[in-house]
Amino acid sequence: MDRPADSPMDSTDPGRPEAGRDRDDAGRARNARPRDGLGRPLPYGSDGVPRQPEGVVRAPAETVAEAQRLLDEGKPFHAHEVFEDAWKSGPDKERELWRGLAQLAVGLTHAARGNVTGGARLLRRGAGAVTEWAASGSGRQRPYGMDLGAVAGWARELAGEVEGGGSVDAAARAPRLRG
């Protein structure tokens, strides 16, 4: 049933905004619902994992270090958000690198959630993107200390494992970005 935008939400959903959708100060839709370590929404009012702030501009080395920390903690969804910030704020010639790394993190997220098809597909797509970027004229094999060949190999291997056996432990299967 549709509800007018200014009507209060059902009081049985504690913590949900009173005026429909979650909105930021500029009026853009934002989902303030708590999330677990793999980015899955939890009921309003639950204790969730702190979200990564959006739009943070970091130096590339800081991006790699922060993403690795989150991957090691079993939070690939959050690492994807760090890579996404780099993809959106970095130089155009590096967009595909950061986008490919974000796809790898999302692939690990889906694999850890038990989404075999989506996890394997995104792991392979991300591996292809970082490999292609490294082979391009603007790419390098070890940007910011990352071993892209090893990262792509990790992703392809994990994709095969996911297809053969389902979900994985995100922290235990986190890649080593710097080899």
Side-chain angles (χ1 to χ4, degrees):
M1 172 171 141
D2 288 329
R3 169 183 12 249
D6 61 347
S7 71
M9 298 300 291
D10 182 348
S11 63
T12 62
D13 196 357
R16 186 163 185 151
E18 298 229 359
R21 297 176 71 184
D22 300 328
R23 302 262 176 203
D24 66 13
D25 292 338
R28 291 182 302 265
R30 295 283 185 234
N31 190 336
R33 208 166 148 183
R35 304 272 175 166
D36 71 6
L38 293 173
R40 292 175 289 217
L42 298 170
Y44 283 97
S46 297
D47 289 331
V49 172
R51 308 250 330 239
Q52 285 300 116
E54 292 183 43
V56 176
V57 178
R58 298 174 182 86
E62 291 174 301
T63 294
V64 175
E66 179 66 4
Q68 186 69 68
R69 181 185 70 77
L70 292 164
L71 289 164
D72 291 344
E73 290 178 4
K75 299 176 185 171
F77 177 81
H78 298 80
H80 131 269
E81 292 177 328
V82 170
F83 287 134
E84 192 172 89
D85 284 340
W87 154 23
K88 292 178 179 179
S89 68
D92 285 345
K93 67 181 185 175
E94 293 183 359
R95 291 177 80 89
E96 291 306 308
L97 167 66
W98 300 116
R99 190 173 75 106
L101 291 167
Q103 289 172 333
L104 292 173
V106 172
L108 179 56
T109 300
H110 282 284
R113 290 177 177 176
N115 177 353
V116 172
T117 302
R121 183 175 294 139
L122 282 162
L123 286 163
R124 286 193 179 100
R125 186 180 303 156
V130 299
T131 300
E132 186 176 317
W133 184 85
S136 74
S138 63
R140 305 187 310 264
Q141 288 297 318
R142 295 188 64 90
Y144 311 111
M146 291 184 289
D147 184 343
L148 297 183
V151 170
W154 161 85
R156 289 184 180 106
E157 180 181 319
L158 184 58
E161 290 176 24
V162 167
E163 288 173 328
S167 68
V168 299
D169 179 318
R173 292 311 317 262
R176 305 296 337 139
L177 299 173
R178 291 190 168 135

